[in-house]
Amino acid sequence: MILLGLLAAIVAASVVALSAAQALVLLGIPDPGPLTTYGVPAVRAISEIATVITIGSLFFAAFLVPPQRNGVLDVGGYRAVRMAGVAATVWAVTAALMVPLTLSETSGSPLSEAIRPENLFQALGQVETAVAWAWTTVLALITALLIRLSVRWSWTPYLLLLSLVALMPVALTGHSSSGGSHDMATNSLVLHLVAASVWAGGLFALLVHSLRGGEYTDLAARRFSFVAGLAFAVMAVTGVINAAVRMSFGDLTTTTYGRVLLAKIVALIVLGVFGWAQRRRALPALEADPTSRSALVRFTAVEAFVLAATIGLAVGLGRTPPPPPASAPTVQEVTLGYQLDVPPSFVSLFFGQWRFDLIFGTAALVLAVAYAIGLWTLRKRGDSWPVGRSIAWFSGCFVLLVATSSGVGMYSPAMFSVHMGAHMALSMLAPVLLALGGAMTLALRAFRPAGRNAPPGPREWILEFLHSPPSRFFTHPIVASVMFVGGFYALYLGGIFTTFIDSHSAHVLMNLHFLLSGYLFYWVVIGVDPSPRDLQPVTKLAMVFGSLPFHAFFGVTLMSMGTVMAESYYRGLALPWNYDLFADQKVGGSIAWSAGEIPLVLVMIALLVQWSRTDKRTARRVDRAADRDDDADLAAHNAMFAELARRDGEGR
Ligand code: HEM
């Protein structure tokens, strides 16, 4: 880890040396001194290496090597989790160092000045990237502490999730979050960093495991090879999109930024070749003899150094000023990331204007493709699957795509009424359809059971998830209802919406909350998938009935509000067609009211149908049992009453 961190730090600082002077001129700030100019890329690169090792090692322990049969981590998993603990601590420390370093770099004042408490706390709130590093410090520290406490496999997927959350503050700020197309730049960088972390970190963990002669190296290498292939594709696509947002093809050879990028492209190709060699040489050798690790170790070691150097290049690239844009971005491009020239209409909302949302649009496509693969697997086996469920699932994916990537997704950050329409589609319509799709049931049928003494696989992971304490907590009727309904009130009436409306990352997090809290609620209420809690139909009905008035009240409150939420933001957009913000907010309120009630009524009908079906099924089962044992239950029942009558008779 130290060697890889140092290599990345040296490469990053060298790249910065190429353009440091140019950057200061372009930014128009005084020189903060070499400690900051080279300290920032060096510490950032070490932090990036610590980040990927934390995430990759947790990924390794969770999905590449099996635990012991009693659920406690096996040697390989335990060592990987310990390595993640050390890396997370380094991550927290370097992230903490990045706070004053970022303040020094942004203000142009020497580090000694920036680090003084009165300057530090005064400036912290004003510099978004410094705040992001402060959050990263806290989240990385929590990850490191929780890692120390965990020895059971079942916690590793959740620790992995937490470490990915800790990656987000920095991924959602920096170069990508400002200027034209910042929505594309930020979303592509989020996917880029997640893929880089799992790929580079997983590779480092695999290298250490195979160097130690760890068990299941062949299984880990085979599983990792699949993941690395996916990560390679994601890195290439998101890297190109991120680059295309900032520069033209011609800049590749004529600007420092372009040349560093070219070096990254070459590195990716080299890594692709090594990946290919792994599949042609190392994996077959391991398959033939699980102890023949030499080819794997040789190739992985080279890949590890190339990846560490590329991360250094990337950090240097992140500190290199991109080529100046052909024209200054407009107010809308700076705020939204794009320009809206025509007023919203049925055509412009659903047909005329599409802008693919790299996060939610991609999620919709991946969810649809994964489900189709599940269907195909069942069909290949000759198993049937209710067509209604497939229609529900693909419709849910389609609603997710349209609500985030069509004109609805484009106008949503610009107009409250369209935003509310998108909100309702993401928290009401898409989740109802997805919950009726029964994806987990399909996965449990499509994936084969691992077999008695075999390492657990996807099917066992899903079952473990379904029975895990966090799933039980979040599917509790009260928790699911509060997350579903409470979110509305906290967001709009609690002022969160107004405070964060101009932040792209807030829009990403809002959409994520709408989708997950909606899916969770409908999974519990009408989901066809097995749920950690076996709730009575009456409890489910109570959840729906309970949330109905809250929805109605929320819609009415919006319609009767006396002030316009986030007025300065909407006015500031200077949309070419001027419109009445008040009236638009009222439209938003009526959409919330109507679009909230309709799915809930549909759900109630679906629940009553499910309830009557359950009853019929129970009745049929009881009848079949009665046929089998000559209605022993009824006989026992009658005998009990006869006995009671006899005792009553004797008492008198
Ligand atoms: C193995 C290959 C790669 C790795 C490990 C990698 C890693 C990274 C990392 C860690 C960052 C964030 C840097 C920062 O914000 O400080 C980044 C940013 C970026 N990467 Fe990559 N990357 C790889 C390949 C590529 C490729 C092939 C391209 C282009 C085709 C690319 C384009 C970009 C761009 C444009 C940025 C944003 C830089 C900025 O903020 O200005 N990357 N990459």
Side-chain angles (χ1 to χ4, degrees):
M1 183 174 353
I2 296 168
L3 213 57
L4 298 173
L6 277 180
L7 173 63
I10 293 165
V11 173
S14 318
V15 170
V16 165
L18 293 175
S19 61
Q22 183 199 357
L24 288 175
V25 174
L26 273 172
L27 295 166
I29 52 171
D31 182 354
L35 193 56
T36 299
T37 307
Y38 298 105
V40 169
V43 174
R44 170 93 180 82
I46 295 170
S47 181
E48 189 60 42
I49 293 287
T51 309
V52 300
I53 292 181
T54 308
I55 294 171
S57 305
L58 289 172
F59 181 80
F60 185 88
F63 301 117
L64 300 187
V65 285
Q68 299 174 45
R69 289 181 57 71
N70 60 6
V72 172
L73 288 166
D74 199 1
V75 180
Y78 181 76
R79 283 181 172 154
V81 166
R82 289 280 84 69
M83 184 157 81
V86 175
T89 313
V90 175
W91 185 7
V93 172
T94 49
L97 282 176
M98 281 302 288
V99 176
L101 277 168
T102 304
L103 293 175
S104 162
E105 183 189 46
T106 318
S107 61
S109 58
L111 187 61
S112 52
E113 279 299 307
I115 213 156
R116 283 157 58 142
E118 66 275 17
N119 296 344
L120 199 66
F121 295 108
Q122 195 227 345
L124 188 56
Q126 294 150 11
V127 182
E128 196 190 19
T129 322
V131 174
W133 281 113
W135 273 112
T136 308
T137 310
V138 174
L139 292 168
L141 206 56
I142 295 172
T143 309
L145 291 175
L146 290 178
I147 285 176
R148 295 198 71 73
L149 301 174
S150 57
V151 288
R152 295 193 64 79
W153 175 87
S154 52
W155 285 108
T156 53
Y158 293 104
L159 289 169
L160 173 63
L161 193 62
L162 177 62
S163 65
L164 288 170
V165 170
L167 182 65
M168 290 304 131
V170 170
L172 292 167
T173 52
H175 256 181
S176 297
S177 64
S178 56
S181 297
H182 60 76
D183 57 326
M184 280 290 178
T186 308
N187 290 355
S188 62
L189 190 67
V190 167
L191 298 176
H192 198 68
L193 286 180
V194 171
S197 305
V198 172
W199 183 17
L203 186 112
F204 297 155
L206 179 64
L207 175 61
V208 172
H209 185 76
S210 35
L211 276 172
R212 282 187 172 139
E215 257 199 291
Y216 299 105
T217 300
D218 54 330
L219 173 76
R222 220 177 24 253
R223 286 182 175 174
F224 181 69
S225 169
F226 171 74
V227 175
L230 279 182
F232 180 89
V234 172
M235 296 298 296
V237 173
T238 54
V240 168
I241 292 173
N242 201 301
V245 159
R246 298 160 206 289
M247 51 175 268
S248 63
F249 196 74
D251 296 326
L252 261 181
T253 50
T254 56
T255 63
T256 312
Y257 192 90
R259 285 190 287 270
V260 177
L261 197 70
L262 214 48
K264 285 185 78 180
I265 295 172
V266 171
L268 189 72
I269 295 167
V270 169
L271 288 161
V273 172
F274 272 91
W276 177 79
Q278 291 273 28
R279 284 171 191 223
R280 293 301 301 262
R281 303 265 300 279
L283 292 189
L286 275 171
E287 202 147 341
D289 167 12
T291 60
S292 80
R293 298 187 181 88
S294 57
L296 178 77
V297 169
R298 271 201 319 278
F299 292 144
T300 318
V302 176
E303 283 182 275
F305 281 92
V306 175
L307 268 166
T310 315
I311 289 174
L313 280 176
V315 170
L317 184 71
R319 328 225 65 72
T320 306
S327 59
T330 64
V331 173
Q332 284 186 44
E333 281 169 342
V334 171
T335 316
L336 304 173
Y338 46 86
Q339 186 71 18
L340 290 172
D341 293 321
V342 293
S345 65
F346 182 75
V347 173
S348 63
L349 281 174
F350 294 103
F351 302 99
Q353 313 233 24
W354 274 66
R355 188 178 175 85
F356 188 72
D357 182 310
L358 280 170
I359 294 181
F360 294 98
T362 307
L365 297 180
V366 168
L367 291 175
V369 169
Y371 197 93
I373 293 171
L375 286 180
W376 179 70
T377 312
L378 254 60
R379 176 169 295 225
K380 241 186 13 182
R381 254 191 246 148
D383 291 352
S384 66
W385 178 255
V387 68
R389 291 185 186 172
S390 308
I391 293 172
W393 182 264
F394 291 125
S395 314
C397 296
F398 184 68
V399 170
L400 175 58
L401 183 71
V402 171
T404 55
S405 302
S406 73
V408 176
M410 287 182 77
Y411 284 86
S412 168
M415 295 180 71
F416 186 76
S417 55
V418 182
H419 166 83
M420 197 43 82
H423 177 167
M424 288 302 129
L426 290 173
S427 73
M428 289 284 179
L429 193 51
V432 170
L433 294 166
L434 293 173
L436 289 172
M440 275 187 266
T441 310
L442 176 66
L444 288 172
R445 285 186 50 192
F447 287 120
R448 289 203 180 284
R452 236 185 114 59
N453 295 322
R459 194 172 188 284
E460 289 69 32
W461 297 333
I462 296 171
L463 289 171
E464 182 75 38
F465 162 72
L466 281 174
H467 300 108
S468 67
S471 302
R472 276 192 66 73
F473 172 76
F474 284 108
T475 51
H476 186 285
I478 295 175
V479 175
S481 306
V482 168
M483 285 189 58
F484 182 53
V485 179
F488 288 67
Y489 288 81
L491 198 63
Y492 299 104
L493 309 183
I496 299 175
F497 180 78
T498 306
T499 312
F500 294 103
I501 188 164
D502 57 354
S503 138
H504 171 72
S505 24
H507 280 280
V508 173
L509 295 176
M510 269 195 264
N511 286 350
L512 197 62
H513 168 76
F514 299 154
L515 203 59
L516 293 183
S517 63
Y519 183 79
L520 188 67
F521 183 80
Y522 290 114
W523 171 30
V524 172
V525 168
I526 53 161
V528 294
D529 282 325
S531 146
R533 292 169 183 277
D534 190 13
L535 298 181
Q536 293 304 311
V538 67
T539 316
K540 296 178 180 181
L541 264 179
M543 285 174 74
V544 177
F545 267 120
S547 61
L548 268 172
F550 286 99
H551 268 292
F553 180 72
F554 169 72
V556 172
T557 312
L558 273 189
M559 285 192 272
S560 51
M561 268 174 109
T563 54
V564 174
M565 277 189 288
E567 181 166 4
S568 58
Y569 165 82
Y570 287 119
R571 291 239 175 277
L573 280 175
L575 293 169
W577 67 94
N578 59 12
Y579 65 105
D580 177 343
L581 289 179
F582 227 8
D584 186 63
Q585 186 167 286
K586 275 192 189 337
V587 173
S590 56
I591 291 174
W593 181 81
S594 55
E597 301 306 284
I598 297 165
L600 282 173
V601 172
L602 287 178
V603 164
M604 215 153 44
I605 296 165
L607 255 183
L608 290 172
V609 171
Q610 270 184 8
W611 197 352
S612 70
R613 281 210 192 125
T614 320
D615 273 3
K616 283 199 191 93
R617 257 201 311 276
T618 321
R620 269 200 302 276
R621 204 177 42 248
V622 170
D623 290 350
R624 269 200 306 276
D627 293 346
R628 258 199 318 276
D629 60 9
D630 285 337
D631 220 340
D633 281 1
L634 186 61
H637 205 69
N638 292 344
M640 179 190 72
F641 278 118
E643 174 58 21
L644 284 175
R646 188 184 62 73
R647 286 202 202 135
D648 284 354
E650 277 171 8
R652 261 188 235 116

